[in-house]
Amino acid sequence: MKRTTPLRAAIAAVLLTFGLGAAQAGAAPLPEPAAAPSASAGLLDAMSRDLGLTAAEAEERLSAEKAAVEVEKAARRSAGAAYGGSWFDAATGRLVVAVTDRTEEAEVRALGADTRLVRHSAAALDRAKARLDTLNAPAGVAGWHVDPKSNSVVVDVVRSERQTPAVRSFVDRARAGGLVTVAETAQAPRTYAAGTVGGDPYYTGNVRCSIGFSVHGGFVTAGHCGRAGAAVRGWDGSAMGTFQGSSFPGDDYAYVSIHSGWWTVPVVLGWGTIPDQLVRGSAEAPVGSSICRSGSTTHWRCGTVLAKNETVNYSQGAVHQMTKTSVCAEGGDSGGSFLSGDQAQGVTSGGWGNCSTGGETWFQPINEILGRYGLRLHTA
């Protein structure tokens, strides 16, 4: 970044001095230092606002979610072909792992997860979703995703469009392959680019979007914000960089290289709502985890991960392998950062609703973007 963005994290310095009185026998022992909180007060406040948690509940949840990330990796390896997906259960604070073979349950539970016996493996559900990805969906179909809880592929249709011939025809074709259930959503998703307005964004043409994450040499963002070769202007209007790669629809990600005079930092802006957040990695959070988003319009917002590997049917075309969240967003937030704790999750793509009445937002996972362009995330 060109301008200085100081981390608003306090650094505590402890000065230990010993007087004669303290050295005397019988002197009162020094009190134990208070345990440091696992997250900033601002982050806990944001989770309290958007998730209805107390500060203590938010801290406890963040700790449990961090543990669930590691349990999920081990459980996937342990269950093998019997793995049916997993999700974080906020009520119990534990990861739930679906398995198709009862003999795998004990070993998965020994890892610290709860289990649920299901009929279909995650691989079978992924194959069923991949078949739907070959179909052309009408505007009344919002998208589809693998749902480990229902052990099915869920097709989301816009409530007001459900009975139209085009939507009914698509649903019939989707159900013909099996493993499909249908759910309703209030609105169709849309991207969150916006016309040029004030704020702390980046600009390409007359479009305003938000920086996602710093990578060595530039940053990643949403593909619908600009095409390869497009020039990028920074928050102050000066030349900032160039889109080196961009994909939309199909995917929704892009890589922007930056010019001299700008530099990258492993930071996501807190916008004064919370301290600016350091990025320390990109471990993927399970379904059900809390997650927060930073963008140039609605700033810092939180919610939960609702689904993964969802195909989102925008008016411009379908985008695959998206993650759905309950976090709100508005125009200009496109490309912005999704974080779980200090772990990068992805860049904001689109959604429906707003931050006054609520809604849902999708992001493109960060690890896919890094792999596509051979990039290295800038971490603290």
Side-chain angles (χ1 to χ4, degrees), residues 270-287:
W271 298 99
T273 302
I274 67 168
D276 296 346
Q277 301 292 291
L278 286 172
V279 178
R280 300 188 184 278
S282 59
E284 186 177 331
V287 169

Side-chain angles (χ1 to χ4, degrees), residues 142-160:
W144 49 94
H145 65 276
V146 171
D147 177 27
K149 288 185 180 181
S150 65
N151 196 226
S152 68
V153 179
V154 176
V155 176
D156 289 305
V157 299
V158 179
R159 187 174 299 113
S160 61

Side-chain angles (χ1 to χ4, degrees), residues 149-303:
K149 288 185 180 181
S150 65
N151 196 226
S152 68
V153 179
V154 176
V155 176
D156 289 305
V157 299
V158 179
R159 187 174 299 113
S160 61
E161 302 288 327
R162 181 164 187 171
Q163 298 305 319
T164 63
V167 170
R168 293 176 65 179
S169 175
F170 180 88
V171 168
D172 288 343
R173 284 183 291 158
R175 281 176 165 160
L179 312 188
V180 169
T181 58
V182 178
E184 293 184 348
T185 186
Q187 300 177 37
R190 56 183 174 81
T191 57
Y192 283 128
T196 300
V197 296
D200 189 15
Y202 75 88
Y203 303 88
T204 178
N206 66 343
V207 171
R208 172 169 63 87
C209 283
S210 302
I211 292 173
F213 293 96
S214 286
V215 296
H216 291 273
F219 63 86
V220 293
T221 186
H224 70 263
C225 292
R227 295 302 181 195
V232 172
R233 305 187 310 280
W235 63 272
D236 59 354
S238 65
M240 182 182 196
T242 305
F243 277 86
Q244 296 298 323
S246 178
S247 180
F248 179 79
D251 307 294
D252 194 7
Y253 49 60
Y255 163 52
V256 175
S257 64
I258 55 174
H259 300 325
S260 60
W262 296 83
W263 61 90
T264 63
V265 288
V267 171
V268 171
L269 291 175
W271 298 99
T273 302
I274 67 168
D276 296 346
Q277 301 292 291
L278 286 172
V279 178
R280 300 188 184 278
S282 59
E284 186 177 331
V287 169
S289 299
S290 62
I291 195 165
C292 297
R293 180 192 57 72
S294 179
S296 62
T297 298
T298 56
H299 299 171
W300 191 263
R301 302 285 174 166
C302 298

Side-chain angles (χ1 to χ4, degrees), residues 334-368:
S334 278
S337 322
F338 265 94
L339 278 171
S340 180
D342 58 9
Q343 299 296 302
Q345 299 297 305
V347 300
T348 303
S349 174
W352 62 267
N354 55 53
C355 289
S356 296
T357 60
E360 295 175 337
T361 302
W362 284 261
F363 67 80
Q364 187 89 68
I366 183 66
N367 290 327
E368 179 185 359

Side-chain angles (χ1 to χ4, degrees), residues 6-96:
L7 295 177
R8 304 182 186 94
I11 302 175
V14 180
L15 178 63
L16 299 179
T17 59
F18 291 87
L20 292 176
Q24 294 174 353
L30 293 173
E32 291 292 329
S38 61
S40 69
L43 175 57
L44 300 178
D45 287 344
M47 292 180 67
S48 297
R49 177 196 65 197
D50 295 336
L51 296 174
L53 303 173
T54 66
E57 289 170 339
E59 279 202 87
E60 184 177 357
R61 177 161 178 165
L62 286 171
S63 178
E65 289 172 349
K66 185 175 182 179
V69 170
E70 298 306 315
V71 173
E72 183 181 43
K73 295 175 185 176
R76 186 186 292 268
R77 291 193 298 267
S78 175
Y83 180 73
S86 60
W87 61 94
F88 179 78
D89 186 343
T92 63
R94 292 167 61 86
L95 187 74
V96 182

